[in-house]
Amino acid sequence: MPAPVPRQRAIPAAESGQAPTPSENTTDTARAAPDRAETVAHTNLTLLLIEDDPGGSPIVPDLLDQAGKPIRVRTARNLTEAERLLTDDVHCILLDLALSAPGRAGGDDELAVLRHVLELAPRHAVLALTGADDTERGAEAVRVGAQDYLVRDELDGRLLSRAIRYAVERKRSESAERRLAEGRLRAQENRRLERGLLPTPLLEGSSLRFAARYRPGRSRALLGGDFYDVVRTPDGTVHAMIGDVCGHGPDEAALGVELRIAWRALTLAGLCGDQLLGTLQQVLEHERADDEIFATLCTVDIAPDGRRAGLCLAGHPSPLLARPGLPARLLPYDNNGPALGLLPGARWPRMQVELGAEWSLMLYTDGLIEGRVGDSGERLGQDGMVDMVRRQLSEGLRGEELLRAAVNEVRDLNGGELTDDVAVLLLDRAG
């Protein structure tokens, strides 16, 4: 006996295929040309019966769908005919398990014909048809992939109509669940990949403390066009970098990763200043998808004694320096160069900066300063950011806590999530 068939709702119009003119229990050998873009509210369900002698053994009675409309029936005597009749407007297949699969006559696999049909029609609902003395094979057919099995001698119009609707709905649900699961797996894989592309600072042996916050502007992404990195070279110099590729899509995120990895490799190879930035510009020019793409960059190399640093700016906002007893301020921006990718043969001067014995140095991208402030539409800007950080420092915030408070306040001032990527990193040296 087939499993009890639960009561099902009518098939939604969007799932019903083409709307042919119905004829009860008729054979349709013409290839259909479905147009799913049109309204299909009046479409009938279509069943493809695969049985070796459908004309001589009328096993399919008159069928009505849940709305009382005739279910259209096509018949095929073998799998070759079935393949020809299996068009997009077929909703369900009723397969006689006694049928032989092509090239497998006399084989040991009793469900070879079903496996062939499932391979031929992976998106269609399939009902297996078996005899009263062969229900075990029917149950096995369900385990293999059929939506249900039916016993030939027990068929009637009401039972078969319900079974067809149930099979179509179940197949549709299975397909939706499979697509959802595949989407989740892809999302998890993408998240693992993006998380793996975020930098791990190389600061072993350094007394400097490091903190960073990263918030991509793309919805549900972990990685944006902003990038940063920190490494310590064997001579004790700590090199820090932060950059921003124009744009917010996955291509920009990928280019940012390439520039970060190139910067780390070149830095560890001993390059710095103008030579380093010039080489990075060559990398960008070779890897960018469009000649209009550019990237801003800020690099800092902190001397082994921690008291001074070299600063190079390529169209990027100047870092913020905070020292005890002095108001936080921006480092000089006068002698900066253009963004990478704008001017062939450009130069990027390296400025010497005195840091002192105890300090905090904050590097950031423009996403932190370009958010709106209230309903006026005015941007926060660098001055507003400096005032905000000064206040937060006076409240005793440091390290990760300071960066978290800064990013959250900028978002709150904007009245919601920021549309641009935001990256902020902080290096601290205690006296």
Side-chain angles (χ1 to χ4, degrees):
M1 285 289 292
V5 182
R7 185 175 184 84
Q8 299 293 317
R9 64 179 176 84
I11 305 302
E15 300 292 334
S16 301
Q18 187 187 12
T21 302
S23 59
E24 296 187 6
N25 202 22
T26 58
T27 299
D28 183 358
T29 58
R31 181 177 291 273
D35 184 0
R36 294 184 181 273
E38 297 180 1
T39 302
V40 289
H42 303 292
T43 299
N44 294 39
L45 289 176
T46 301
L47 173 72
L48 176 60
L49 168 64
I50 309 176
E51 206 250 356
D52 58 356
D53 188 17
S57 177
I59 62 172
V60 177
D62 294 343
L63 303 174
L64 299 177
D65 63 18
Q66 195 167 9
K69 298 178 182 178
I71 294 178
R72 188 177 187 180
V73 180
R74 295 179 183 175
T75 56
R77 291 168 296 182
N78 51 55
L79 295 184
T80 301
E81 287 187 10
E83 185 172 1
R84 180 170 57 85
L85 297 175
L86 190 61
T87 50
D88 288 341
D89 60 335
V90 172
H91 301 88
C92 185
I93 298 170
L94 180 58
L95 172 66
D96 186 355
L97 294 182
L99 201 66
S100 297
R104 301 188 185 181
D108 295 333
D109 188 356
E110 294 183 343
L111 296 176
V113 65
L114 173 63
R115 300 183 198 277
H116 189 92
V117 168
L118 292 175
E119 182 179 345
L120 183 67
R123 297 190 301 273
H124 291 75
V126 177
L127 291 170
L129 185 64
T130 186
D133 58 349
D134 203 12
T135 56
E136 287 189 10
R137 183 159 61 157
E140 180 64 22
V142 175
R143 287 191 288 271
V144 168
Q147 273 60 60
D148 202 350
Y149 76 94
L150 301 172
V151 178
R152 178 189 298 266
D153 296 339
E154 298 174 356
L155 282 183
D156 60 46
R158 184 171 178 270
L159 172 64
L160 183 54
S161 297
R162 291 179 61 204
I164 292 171
R165 297 198 305 272
Y166 169 73
V168 170
E169 284 294 297
R170 183 175 177 183
K171 184 65 177 181
R172 187 181 64 84
S173 177
E174 290 173 353
S175 298
E177 289 178 2
R178 184 180 66 254
R179 288 194 298 270
L180 181 60
E182 291 172 351
R184 286 173 176 166
L185 287 175
R186 284 195 299 269
Q188 291 172 3
E189 183 177 346
N190 289 341
R191 290 176 69 86
R192 286 194 299 269
L193 177 61
E194 291 186 2
R195 189 177 295 110
L197 293 174
L198 291 172
T200 301
L202 300 179
L203 282 173
E204 185 177 357
S206 172
S207 61
L208 299 183
R209 293 174 299 181
F210 168 84
R213 297 288 291 177
Y214 192 93
R215 185 189 295 272
R218 288 189 296 139
S219 175
R220 296 183 298 276
L222 289 180
L223 203 63
D226 289 4
F227 54 99
Y228 68 90
D229 206 352
V230 178
V231 299
R232 181 177 183 267
T233 47
D235 64 355
T237 302
V238 172
H239 303 261
M241 171 271 289
I242 196 164
D244 182 1
V245 177
C246 67
H248 310 288
D251 291 340
E252 289 75 15
L255 181 57
V257 171
E258 292 179 275
L259 291 175
R260 179 186 68 78
I261 294 173
W263 176 87
R264 175 175 285 201
L266 294 169
T267 299
L268 293 175
L271 276 67
C272 67
D274 187 72
Q275 187 180 15
L276 174 76
L277 292 176
T279 308
L280 283 178
Q281 174 157 281
Q282 293 180 41
V283 173
L284 183 144
E285 290 171 346
H286 283 293
E287 298 296 332
R288 63 186 175 183
D290 189 289
D291 290 342
E292 302 298 321
I293 298 295
F294 64 90
T296 66
L297 197 70
C298 168
T299 67
V300 176
D301 54 277
I302 301 169
D305 64 7
R307 291 178 172 270
R308 62 190 185 281
L311 172 65
C312 287
L313 295 173
H316 199 87
S318 184
L320 180 145
L321 176 65
R323 293 184 289 190
L326 297 173
R329 64 179 179 87
L330 297 175
L331 293 181
Y333 191 76
D334 301 333
N335 202 18
N336 68 305
L340 303 182
L342 290 183
L343 298 176
R347 304 298 298 271
W348 295 271
R350 178 175 177 273
M351 296 174 283
Q352 190 73 20
V353 178
E354 294 297 326
L355 300 177
E358 185 177 351
W359 47 264
S360 295
L361 187 64
M362 190 175 84
L363 284 64
Y364 54 93
T365 57
D366 60 7
L368 190 69
I369 59 177
E370 292 189 349
R372 306 291 179 176
V373 180
D375 298 331
S376 65
E378 181 182 355
R379 297 190 184 275
L380 176 65
Q382 285 182 288
D383 291 340
M385 181 204 67
V386 172
D387 292 340
M388 177 187 70
V389 173
R390 283 177 179 173
R391 173 173 45 77
Q392 292 169 343
L393 287 169
S394 69
E395 295 170 356
L397 300 180
R398 298 290 186 274
E400 289 276 3
E401 191 178 13
L402 172 64
L403 297 189
R404 186 184 306 110
V407 173
N408 288 342
E409 183 168 337
V410 168
R411 182 188 58 191
D412 293 341
L413 290 171
N414 189 62
E417 289 295 339
L418 301 164
T419 57
D420 198 2
D421 305 326
V422 177
V424 192
L425 69 86
L426 187 68
L427 290 170
D428 292 299
R429 183 179 188 270

